[in-house]
Amino acid sequence: MKPSRFTIELDIDGSKYLYNSLSNAYAKIDEDHYEIYLKIKNNDTDYDEKMSIDLYNGGFVINDNEDEIGYMNFFEKVMRYGSSSLGLTIAPTLQCNFRCKYCYEIHENLFMSDDVQKLLIEFVTKNISRYKNISVSWYGGEPLLALSIIRDLSKRLIKIAEANNVIYESGIISNGYLLTKSVAQILKDECKISSVQITLDGIREIHDINRPLENGQGTFDVIFQNLRNIIEILNVSIRINISKDNYQQLFQLLDILNDEGILDKIHIYIAPVSSVENTESKKIQYMCLNKSDFADIEIEFIKYLIEKKVNINHFYPLYKPVVCSSISSNSFVIDPEGYLYKCWNVVCNKSFSIGNLKDGIKFKQKEFLEWANWELPDRCLKCEIMPICQSSCPYNTFYNNECSTIKYNIINLLKLFKDYHQFKDISGRR
């Protein structure tokens, strides 16, 4: 046997723990098992093979003929090119009622025409027989500015799915300003939209600076009232974009959500404000935290959730066979004019288009092939957390060599989960 290249050793309060980023097993190791692990690590074959099976079952050690990288490459290809799911991110408009200071899009007053809608329906009808389910994400701009288009297209897409015995699921990314209780009910009942992501960038004073209306007016109060009204209708995810401007007020916002009885009814996470290459947001580099600083903030954020008894299991580091839908052969972003893309970072930049609904996908062009043939950078292959990171973002690998934030806080994250769960050791003893 040999140690897995993805096993991380931790010493916490005098006890030994092992975590494996491929199997995602995390265990407290007694002295006997740790001694065996060290022997295997040092190529010493004098150990109890029966006890070594416990380490093998956790993925901490593997057989000599096993190839973890080869396994991951195979499984990734199956998922990328053999998926039975069609993923569509549809932007019915790129117009937006907000003017967020870090936004990467150009907001054109353009809405999806009847002709483009017809082409979209034809595209789905032509391809639906290949799939077992279809997943639709409504995107923008602000998609609720085009609510009538969402309602009409949803009804037609649902009808196609039902006629072909295909499972249909849908979600929406919205700024939340137009998401009243009645609109949320329409999305749920008519459009089979079950989830929504809304962004709050801190307390009112900070959020209203970062995410004002086009006329400069604040938006926090309206969004917060809508949030109160919809949490029993839709599954709500709150994203908090963290920058140098607002990180100090993060916990004030969390206190407000907790005091309102909202915090334990939503999925909540933080994300770094980032400057996206080839977009309008390139000009906001001055706002961006470095990865290490953001990683520290994320740990404090999770600690807060633990203190408030909010479930944090969705933060547990898990293996990602496919890091992003952008590299899947069956996933597309569609803009209001019917142009097709692989990544929503470039949805308003036609130079990155891979084709359109009318003429089809341009399979021989580099704009398509760089996504279809994307591979992990060489620097990732030697990293012990590669399975849970996978570079974090394929788009970013085209332009920089930065590691994701989990590179900087994985040890502290695992220590948090050690405290969050009552651990058994690898032999089953508490």
Side-chain angles (χ1 to χ4, degrees), residues 277-293:
E277 292 286 342
N278 300 302
T279 71
E280 290 295 295
S281 73
K282 188 65 180 168
K283 60 192 177 187
I284 53 88
Q285 284 182 323
Y286 71 94
M287 294 176 60
C288 303
L289 292 161
N290 64 48
K291 294 295 179 70
S292 178
D293 288 343

Side-chain angles (χ1 to χ4, degrees), residues 11 69 76 232 265 303 366 391:
D11 190 327
I69 297 295
E76 183 202 42
E232 303 299 335
K265 296 179 180 179
K303 284 181 180 178
K366 67 178 181 65
S391 84

